Amino acid sequence: MVWNPVPGGGGGSSFGWLSRRRTKHVLVLACVVLAFSIVGIVLIAKIDKSDTAYSLDTTWRRTAPDAKERYVRMIPRVIWQTVKSHEVPKLAYDAGGSWTHLNPTYDRIVLDDSEVLQFVKRFYNETEFDLFKSMPVGVMKADFFRYMVVYIHGGVYADADTINHKSIDEWVDSDCQFVVAPEDNDGFFCQWAFAAIPRHPILKRLVELIFEKLANGPDYSNPHFVHGVTGPAIWTIAIREVLGISPDEKLNPFILTDRAKTLRKDQGICWLTTKELVKALSNLSAHDNPAFVEVGWSNWFAEAGDLRKKLASETSNEE
Ligand SMILES: *[C@@H]1O[C@H](CO)[C@@H](O)[C@H](O)[C@H]1NC(C)=O
Ligand SMILES: *[C@@H]1O[C@H](CO)[C@@H](O)[C@H](O)[C@H]1NC(C)=O
């Protein structure tokens, strides 16, 4: 069988109707258009790699999780962060960029305050949404949100003031289900950076515990209320409870014990020492850094202090 070429396609230049000069002009024009298109595509690709706003439909991931990711790698390739508003100071923008740059196969999703509320409304019920909104300071919402979002979607959470030094695949092994590091002080686990599979039992328990505390009305006059209700204290309680680590066990020594190794092998609990964590990423200690005040959660010491003063003055007025 003979393949028939397009009628009229045989022989002669298709530019035959143009003069040589014109052909040259057309070619130059085509090159210019092509060059602009390439620049345009590169720019769009760049923009696309910066903060991706969270959307509630299921298309928020640039790339659907492929079969390889789902079966070979347990923790999804998503980085979660939260800021007060998407208009962050340059310092925070650059910090965020370090994550995008070192982890090109990951989605980095940054939610601002209103997107955080949309997320909670979508995935939790009305009572829970009201409890979430009842938290009096932004840092508590930022704390609670990180557990809720990683519980629902899985992935890596890192504070918006952290700088990534080592790509995530270097410190989150493909068989890990939960990744955590103790703080230097041995008493608490860090919650400014961690990773987990969706629906991990530790996060399930933690979210439950925090809702319970909020429903019972936390004591906001306690100077450590943020730490206790949503911060490292409750985070550590949930981890100890679910994994059966006794409250007096010192954490940095614990993660080197045989029991910790068994948890690693059997349950995919991946321990990082404080030193390993700090080598993988560091934070800019936002609450001490004026350039971060506008990001919102950075002034939490002040916010919490103001609230305590207000409560104290209300109490003294009643007397
Ligand atoms: C909301 O969800 C919690 C936890 O699943 C449940 O205990 C509670 O009854 C639910 N409340 C409403 C109003 O659906
Ligand atoms: C930030 O890094 C310092 C030093 O590694 C650490 O002590 C601190 O707990 C980290 N976290 C926050 C939220 O600042």
Side-chain angles (χ1 to χ4, degrees):
M1 207 169 69
V2 178
W3 177 70
N4 263 327
V6 189
S13 159
S14 46
F15 287 111
W17 53 277
L18 290 172
S19 71
R20 253 164 201 267
R21 239 182 113 119
R22 270 218 165 130
T23 310
K24 211 165 143 196
H25 282 162
V26 169
L27 283 178
V28 168
L29 192 67
C31 287
V32 170
V33 169
L34 188 69
F36 271 103
S37 318
I38 289 172
V39 169
I41 289 166
V42 168
L43 279 181
I44 289 168
K46 276 224 155 121
I47 290 166
D48 191 38
K49 285 202 165 175
S50 68
D51 297 5
T52 316
Y54 183 74
S55 82
L56 290 172
D57 60 33
T58 49
T59 59
W60 53 266
R61 292 192 69 163
R62 272 184 282 120
T63 47
D66 57 19
K68 205 169 151 206
E69 173 183 330
R70 205 169 293 161
Y71 299 111
V72 175
R73 188 185 177 72
M74 301 204 71
I75 296 181
R77 288 190 153 89
V78 189
I79 303 158
W80 296 103
Q81 297 189 306
T82 175
V83 290
K84 185 172 182 177
S85 120
H86 285 295
E87 278 167 41
V88 296
K90 187 171 184 317
L91 202 58
Y93 186 83
D94 292 346
S98 69
W99 290 94
T100 312
H101 179 72
L102 279 182
N103 305 285
T105 60
Y106 280 72
D107 287 307
R108 184 165 73 93
I109 315 280
V110 184
L111 282 78
D112 68 8
D113 279 3
S114 68
E115 289 162 339
V116 163
L117 287 179
Q118 285 174 49
F119 163 82
V120 179
K121 194 168 180 169
R122 163 81 168 71
F123 289 100
Y124 293 84
N125 68 32
E126 210 176 321
T127 318
E128 293 167 329
F129 181 55
D130 289 343
L131 286 173
F132 186 85
K133 282 192 299 181
S134 76
M135 289 183 285
V137 289
V139 61
M140 294 177 80
K141 293 187 181 127
D143 273 345
F144 198 3
F145 162 72
R146 71 193 62 183
Y147 315 136
M148 293 170 121
V149 77
V150 176
Y151 174 63
I152 298 285
H153 293 302
V156 177
Y157 171 83
D159 272 355
D161 72 332
T162 54
I163 298 177
N164 189 201
H165 304 299
K166 271 192 192 175
S167 64
I168 297 168
D169 289 353
E170 287 178 63
W171 47 279
V172 174
D173 288 344
S174 53
D175 63 335
C176 292
Q177 300 189 34
F178 190 84
V179 184
V180 73
E183 286 180 3
D184 264 340
N185 63 28
D186 275 342
F188 300 103
F189 285 108
C190 297
Q191 42 82 278
W192 53 278
F194 63 92
I197 54 167
R199 312 275 164 183
H200 196 278
I202 292 175
L203 291 171
K204 181 172 196 281
R205 180 65 185 136
L206 176 63
V207 168
E208 238 171 55
L209 278 173
I210 296 176
F211 276 132
E212 261 168 40
K213 287 213 167 208
L214 292 175
N216 290 335
D219 175 10
Y220 290 121
S221 62
N222 181 321
H224 303 294
F225 75 84
V226 174
H227 207 260
V229 179
T230 57
I234 188 106
W235 165 247
T236 305
I237 286 173
I239 297 174
R240 285 186 189 269
E241 183 192 307
V242 173
L243 300 181
I245 308 169
S246 108
D248 3 272
E249 191 117 40
K250 293 225 184 294
L251 297 175
N252 271 300
F254 171 78
I255 68 171
L256 304 173
T257 60
D258 284 345
R259 224 171 74 62
K261 281 183 197 128
T262 308
L263 286 168
R264 167 71 185 85
K265 200 159 78 41
D266 296 348
Q267 294 185 37
I269 310 290
C270 295
W271 314 100
L272 296 172
T273 61
T274 315
K275 276 206 188 104
E276 283 164 345
L277 183 75
V278 175
K279 261 191 210 153
L281 67 151
S282 59
N283 69 63
L284 297 167
S285 284
H287 44 263
D288 297 330
N289 191 328
F292 270 101
V293 166
E294 285 154 50
V295 182
W297 38 261
S298 56
N299 52 359
W300 67 275
F301 281 125
E303 249 186 353
D306 286 350
L307 180 76
R308 277 206 314 282
K309 266 185 232 147
K310 194 169 145 247
L311 288 174
S313 81
E314 276 168 15
T315 323
S316 63
N317 284 347
E318 277 165 20
E319 282 158 7

